[in-house]
Amino acid sequence: MSSDRTRSAILAAAERLYADRGFGDVTLRDIVAEANVNLAAVNYHFGSKDELIAELFVTRSLATNRERLNELKAAEEKGGGHAPIDAILHALVGPTLRGCLGPDREGSTAARFMIRASIESVPPIRRIKNREVDHLRKFIAAMRRAMPGRDDADLYWGLHFALAMSHHTIREKERLTKLSEGRCDLNDVQAIIDRVVSVSVMALTGGETPAKKAPGKVVAREAR
Amino acid sequence: MSSDRTRSAILAAAERLYADRGFGDVTLRDIVAEANVNLAAVNYHFGSKDELIAELFVTRSLATNRERLNELKAAEEKGGGHAPIDAILHALVGPTLRGCLGPDREGSTAARFMIRASIESVPPIRRIKNREVDHLRKFIAAMRRAMPGRDDADLYWGLHFALAMSHHTIREKERLTKLSEGRCDLNDVQAIIDRVVSVSVMALTGGETPAKKAPGKVVAREAR
DNA sequence: GATAGTTTCATACAACTGTTTGAATTGCAA
DNA sequence: TTGCAATTCAAACAGTTGTATGAAACTATC
């Protein structure tokens, strides 16, 4: 009963500290000091440090996945069980980008924690991410319905690139700001989402299997 | 003189171990055991563990950057000081992808080390990566020459997405193979490079500032 | 209000970490 | 060979880490 207070104090303190200083140099002693609880409380309530981190990540991760699937479902219902490709990709990258970017989310502990998790890749989190495959397959299935003629490999590459752009933007937002000297506006989340979706759609609809024959305007270059 | 043997034995052993098991759980004691040298040798020859890691990464990193610039220069000379955009992007992502992917490079210690470095992001490596901005600016400059009318922000986004796709492919190649059940061929490096370049060029030439007005075939979706 | 179960606490544990030390050894020049 | 520097070595250092323990405090039920 009253143990819930301790439990959630640990969770909150851990998320805050990990978000601010990374998984690398935050110890259990830092966490319990921040949470004003005893050191042994972590192992009592969570079993181990890794399980604490896992619970932290699973919570946020499930929320994002739920949001994604809701958006996908909404788009499919709107189109009568057949969502257009840009809506599918929007459902895929929108929640992640909205959750991690933007001026309102800037101070959000959850956002900063998820950014850390996408940068540092500590074992317990990696284990969870590896189970994300089933979730992504639902988007592949939707994409297949939206582009029936398309080669399967192209769909996988398209989804892969969409995730690449959204994750890399989250992960390297500081570097991009610095490189572009502020000319890339990392606060306009909607514009970023549109841009990522737009490029992803082009990747999927641009040329037929660009890797094999490259019939588009861009010709493959010779090696070396 | 003969100390060079110790020095390079440490470098080789460290690179091998880091490549295989990651920075997280390889200790100096593991390294000196693998290299058959004394524990103190690391601090004697490199000053600290972090400086050892830094030297390891700098060496490989400089080689890649040199290769990139050579390819860029070659492309510019070929075009009379004005390389086409796809050649520029090819010079940017080619060396990295070629260095980390492909069946011949599969067993390469250097490749596996660089993949680790791109996944784990340990402090000494992060510090070095932050100095990579100047290097990237040279590619922005070349891109500006190739696409004079283009808005600067679009160029930065294009370069950013090109790096996103190439790095994410390297970092998540296992996941992509698993997700696609082998339908994405991670061994055909040339095809991957062509695909990344092709999509990047589309991102740069596709629609005029797709984020602002989205005049292309893809229309921005409403929020939420 | 005694009892049983849960939660907290101070403390100890055992292992591991990167780094330092100072003596021993080696290599090379004079 | 002597002398001096560079290198190697075993050992210890000083600190940190996550986890375990067993007693104490609390809570709720009968």
Side-chain angles (χ1 to χ4, degrees):
Chain A
M1 273 293 151
S2 85
S3 76
D4 267 6
R5 207 204 292 300
T6 302
R7 232 189 100 92
S8 40
I10 293 173
L11 285 169
E15 185 168 49
R16 190 164 46 240
L17 288 179
Y18 284 142
D20 285 343
R21 293 161 33 195
F23 298 100
D25 54 64
V26 171
T27 72
L28 288 187
R29 283 170 177 80
D30 295 332
I31 294 172
V32 299
E34 179 88 356
N36 278 310
V37 302
N38 188 270
L39 173 59
V42 173
N43 287 275
Y44 178 78
H45 285 282
F46 299 93
S48 72
K49 183 197 186 185
D50 278 12
E51 289 174 87
L52 166 61
I53 295 177
E55 173 154 347
L56 235 25
F57 182 73
V58 162
T59 305
R60 300 296 177 198
S61 189
L62 283 183
T64 302
N65 288 356
R66 198 165 23 230
E67 229 185 303
R68 278 177 172 173
L69 289 178
N70 283 343
E71 237 186 89
L72 176 64
K73 204 173 166 189
E76 282 184 329
E77 280 169 1
K78 195 173 165 186
H82 188 90
I85 186 65
D86 63 322
I88 297 169
L89 292 168
H90 195 279
L92 180 72
V93 304
T96 313
L97 287 167
R98 246 183 286 122
C100 291
L101 263 38
D104 46 317
R105 285 281 180 178
E106 196 59 45
S108 154
T109 309
R112 273 160 33 235
F113 174 80
M114 287 305 272
I115 294 173
R116 279 284 176 200
S118 97
I119 292 179
E120 288 198 25
S121 175
V122 72
I125 290 183
R126 203 157 356 175
R127 261 174 258 139
I128 294 162
K129 277 189 182 158
N130 285 337
R131 299 191 214 114
E132 230 187 11
V133 185
D134 292 337
H135 177 251
L136 293 180
R137 276 196 218 289
K138 293 174 186 162
F139 284 84
I140 287 289
M143 289 165 72
R144 202 177 283 128
R145 284 192 293 272
M147 310 182 72
R150 209 58 177 163
D151 196 52
D152 250 21
D154 289 340
L155 298 182
Y156 287 110
W157 278 110
L159 179 128
H160 170 74
F161 284 161
L163 292 177
M165 290 184 274
S166 87
H167 287 166
H168 202 254
T169 301
I170 289 166
R171 173 200 294 260
E172 308 282 357
K173 61 173 187 165
E174 242 89 51
R175 209 199 305 267
L176 180 57
T177 304
K178 186 170 145 197
L179 175 70
S180 73
E181 285 163 323
R183 281 190 277 268
C184 292
D185 184 6
L186 271 299
N187 287 324
D188 191 349
V189 188
Q190 193 53 51
I192 293 174
I193 294 175
D194 289 342
R195 196 184 277 267
V196 169
V197 170
S198 156
V199 174
S200 303
V201 172
M202 284 192 277
L204 281 161
T205 57
E208 309 286 314
T209 61
K212 305 238 164 120
K213 226 28 192 328
K217 44 187 112 173
V218 181
V219 183
R221 305 193 55 72
E222 73 280 12
R224 217 148 279 263
Chain B
M1 274 294 151
S2 87
S3 76
D4 267 7
R5 207 205 291 298
T6 302
R7 232 188 100 93
S8 40
I10 292 173
L11 284 170
E15 186 169 47
R16 190 164 46 240
L17 288 179
Y18 285 143
D20 285 343
R21 292 160 35 194
F23 298 99
D25 55 65
V26 171
T27 71
L28 287 189
R29 283 169 177 83
D30 294 332
I31 294 172
V32 298
E34 179 87 355
N36 278 310
V37 301
N38 188 270
L39 174 59
V42 174
N43 287 275
Y44 178 78
H45 285 283
F46 298 93
S48 71
K49 183 197 185 185
D50 278 13
E51 289 173 87
L52 166 62
I53 294 176
E55 173 155 344
L56 235 26
F57 183 72
V58 162
T59 306
R60 300 296 178 199
S61 190
L62 283 183
T64 302
N65 288 356
R66 196 164 27 229
E67 229 185 302
R68 277 177 172 172
L69 290 179
N70 283 344
E71 237 185 271
L72 176 63
K73 204 173 166 189
E76 283 184 330
E77 280 168 3
K78 194 173 166 186
H82 188 90
I85 186 66
D86 62 321
I88 298 169
L89 292 169
H90 194 279
L92 180 72
V93 304
T96 313
L97 286 168
R98 246 182 286 122
C100 291
L101 264 37
D104 47 316
R105 287 280 182 178
E106 197 58 46
S108 155
T109 309
R112 272 159 34 234
F113 174 80
M114 286 306 272
I115 293 174
R116 280 283 177 200
S118 96
I119 293 179
E120 287 200 23
S121 174
V122 73
I125 291 184
R126 203 155 358 175
R127 261 174 256 139
I128 294 162
K129 278 190 182 159
N130 284 338
R131 300 191 213 115
E132 230 187 12
V133 184
D134 292 337
H135 177 253
L136 293 179
R137 275 195 220 289
K138 293 174 186 161
F139 284 84
I140 286 290
M143 289 165 72
R144 203 178 282 127
R145 285 192 293 274
M147 310 182 72
R150 211 54 177 167
D151 197 51
D152 250 21
D154 290 340
L155 297 183
Y156 288 110
W157 278 110
L159 179 128
H160 170 74
F161 284 160
L163 291 176
M165 289 183 276
S166 86
H167 286 164
H168 202 254
T169 301
I170 289 165
R171 172 201 292 263
E172 308 282 358
K173 62 173 184 166
E174 242 88 52
R175 209 198 307 267
L176 181 55
T177 304
K178 187 169 144 198
L179 175 69
S180 74
E181 285 163 322
R183 280 189 279 267
C184 293
D185 184 5
L186 271 300
N187 287 325
D188 190 349
V189 187
Q190 194 53 50
I192 293 174
I193 295 175
D194 289 343
R195 197 184 276 267
V196 169
V197 170
S198 157
V199 175
S200 304
V201 172
M202 284 192 276
L204 280 160
T205 58
E208 311 284 317
T209 62
K212 304 237 165 121
K213 222 39 192 319
K217 43 187 116 177
V218 181
V219 183
R221 306 194 52 74
E222 72 280 12
R224 218 148 278 265

